[in-house]
Amino acid sequence: MGFVTDKQTLDDLQILGRYQVNSIFNLFNHTVTKDASRLLERMFKAPFSNIEQINTRTAHFQLFQRLNITLPFTSKEFEIISNYLRNAETNNRVKAAFNTTKYWFLNEIANDKNYIVLYDGLKKTIEIFSELKELFSFIEKKSQGTPYHAKAIKAMDVLNDKKFDLAWQCSSKNQLGFKTVLKLDYIFRVLLYQQLEGLLQEILELDIYTTVSEIARKRSFVYPIAVEKSESYIQLKEVFHPCIKNAVSNSISITKDKNVFFLTGANMAGKSTLMKSVAVAVYLAHMGFPVAAEKMVFSLHDGIYTSINVPDNLSMGYSHFYAEVLRVKHVASEVASNKELLIIFDELFKGTNVKDAYDGTVAIVNAFSKRKGSFIISTHITEAGLDLKKNNHLFFQYLPTVMQGNVPTYTYKLKEGITDDRHGMLIIKNEKILEIINSN
């Protein structure tokens, strides 16, 4: 069973979205190559559910953050060599030689560009792979004792193949003769094609490792530590939202015995952002990626489900409240299947009256607390929190409001307990909405 989530959760957390400026994907999407960007996107769609995979990828990122290397090519250069290697018309030696000869002849008599493209691609491939050989040799030496060492050895085995000898001999030459081009073209695009395909894939991963580790260094992200499910907890020290400039951080501990975090606070106090910060950290941690925190230790989870911005569905006749109910029902069925999940609900049943929302919140939270998993529930209905205080599985924290005269301000720092801060009407008055309505 893989890591489970759904579109609603991914949208709530803005995980994906190549064209969304504030998506988590775009935070890390600064690879040199376009192909690596596409691979990164696939990684974002497939968090791990295996602790060994998580810790291995994390170890790769940690290694490259220590090495602090840069790739020896630009995006345009990689595209040249990728197109050259992958655009061979045949794997038959005679036909390949015939095609190359034809391009050379047409170039000689009619200035045809096909031979120039082939020649430039071959020259650039020799140049880049020569530099990559030095780079992988360096990585192979420095990665001893790490999970990446086997991958570095495999790359060096390809680059040390005797079939490369002619290429290395020609790497310092300004011009290559036609016969040399024939030989090298056959070596690269026929004899070594399969090995180089695998090496190109390793280079794309290298692009991601160097890019993500550099982002982690610049932003002071931390590498999470994954433990087995039996431990059942999420420990976050000073977690913050990675896409918010100067974001305020908080420490949160969800344990096996205290697995329901009941969060209160006024509108604009930062509840939604805090919950998203936790969920994003857990999602990235299951990818083996660095997270926006000072420290993170977490037990393996089977997935994440959130209910933060539940849309109504007018085309199906669903009101906002009924859409919320259906969302809770869907999540409840996942929880009941005995999965270890992180579940986040931002203000349960806000689409109905206060009495129903109160009763529904108390009933649902009590039911969730009896299941395994980690739960974060926020609400404005502080009376529900008071009713739930007798439940030993819950712990209570709030985000305070500090009044400066008649103006509410927010610290975004968690405090213990429950708050009944309600400043909606005060904000309405401060914005002088009634005066606007009653003006001539």
Side-chain angles (χ1 to χ4, degrees), residues 349-361 381 383 422:
F349 309 123
K350 52 182 172 281
T352 190
N353 63 76
V354 174
K355 178 64 169 64
D356 284 340
Y358 167 86
D359 291 339
T361 297
I381 306 171
E383 295 82 2
R422 293 184 178 96

Side-chain angles (χ1 to χ4, degrees), residues 48-55 300:
F48 293 131
S49 57
N50 178 286
I51 195 167
E52 184 178 352
Q53 291 175 308
I54 292 171
N55 287 336
L300 196 66

Side-chain angles (χ1 to χ4, degrees), residues 262-306:
F262 195 86
L263 176 64
T264 52
N267 278 329
M268 300 167 62
K271 299 191 301 299
S272 297
T273 298
L274 175 62
M275 291 188 291
K276 289 177 183 179
S277 300
V278 175
V280 166
V282 172
Y283 192 95
L284 289 173
H286 280 81
M287 292 171 57
F289 273 54
V291 301
E294 285 187 12
K295 183 178 180 180
M296 180 177 184
V297 183
F298 70 104
S299 60
L300 196 66
H301 283 60
D302 295 315
I304 299 175
Y305 288 100
T306 66

Side-chain angles (χ1 to χ4, degrees), residues 217-436:
R217 180 194 352 269
K218 287 180 177 178
R219 292 176 173 262
S220 299
F221 290 173
V222 69
Y223 293 98
I225 301 169
V227 298
E228 295 293 347
K229 284 183 186 178
S230 57
E231 302 292 333
S232 191
Y233 64 83
I234 299 171
Q235 302 279 358
L236 280 160
K237 182 180 179 182
E238 302 302 333
V239 65
F240 57 96
H241 198 288
C243 294
I244 296 178
K245 189 176 182 180
N246 301 320
V248 176
S249 61
N250 282 284
S251 296
I252 294 167
S253 176
I254 301 175
T255 67
K256 190 172 185 177
D257 295 327
K258 296 284 188 180
N259 67 323
V260 181
F261 174 15
F262 195 86
L263 176 64
T264 52
N267 278 329
M268 300 167 62
K271 299 191 301 299
S272 297
T273 298
L274 175 62
M275 291 188 291
K276 289 177 183 179
S277 300
V278 175
V280 166
V282 172
Y283 192 95
L284 289 173
H286 280 81
M287 292 171 57
F289 273 54
V291 301
E294 285 187 12
K295 183 178 180 180
M296 180 177 184
V297 183
F298 70 104
S299 60
L300 196 66
H301 283 60
D302 295 315
I304 299 175
Y305 288 100
T306 66
S307 182
I308 297 174
N309 299 306
V310 178
D312 52 22
N313 193 327
L314 299 179
S315 64
M316 297 187 71
Y318 295 168
S319 66
H320 183 76
F321 171 66
Y322 190 58
E324 286 182 290
V325 171
L326 292 179
R327 182 62 178 168
V328 174
K329 179 181 178 181
H330 173 67
V331 172
S333 67
E334 291 294 301
V335 171
S337 66
N338 218 28
K339 297 184 181 82
E340 188 89 23
L341 301 169
L342 170 62
I343 304 298
I344 292 179
F345 282 102
D346 187 10
E347 297 183 32
L348 275 166
F349 309 123
K350 52 182 172 281
T352 190
N353 63 76
V354 174
K355 178 64 169 64
D356 284 340
Y358 167 86
D359 291 339
T361 297
V362 171
I364 294 298
V365 172
N366 275 325
F368 276 148
S369 70
K370 298 172 185 176
R371 310 299 304 213
K372 67 178 184 179
S374 305
F375 303 87
I376 305 178
I377 314 290
S378 78
T379 185
H380 286 301
I381 306 171
T382 55
E383 295 82 2
L386 298 174
D387 198 342
L388 288 163
K389 277 226 166 183
K390 55 183 175 286
N391 188 325
N392 292 327
H393 290 287
L394 274 66
F395 65 97
F396 302 85
Q397 292 182 301
Y398 71 95
L399 289 166
T401 302
V402 178
M403 297 301 300
Q404 294 184 353
N406 288 328
V407 179
T409 61
Y410 310 99
T411 67
Y412 307 115
K413 294 293 287 185
L414 282 170
K415 288 191 174 183
E416 298 295 324
I418 299 172
T419 182
D420 60 356
D421 288 341
R422 293 184 178 96
H423 300 103
M425 193 61 202
L426 180 59
I427 293 171
I428 290 171
K429 288 181 178 178
N430 286 344
E431 294 301 318
K432 302 186 183 301
I433 294 175
L434 296 177
E435 286 85 344
I436 294 171

Side-chain angles (χ1 to χ4, degrees), residues 153-170:
I153 290 174
K154 187 176 179 181
M156 286 306 299
D157 285 345
V158 175
L159 293 166
N160 282 328
D161 192 306
K162 289 292 185 183
K163 299 182 187 71
F164 269 113
D165 286 352
L166 178 60
W168 305 146
Q169 293 167 18
C170 296

Side-chain angles (χ1 to χ4, degrees), residues 32-33 71-81 124 128:
V32 173
T33 66
L71 298 183
F73 53 78
T74 64
S75 177
K76 185 177 180 180
E77 286 173 330
F78 184 84
E79 193 171 342
I80 290 171
I81 65 174
K124 184 58 66 176
I128 296 301

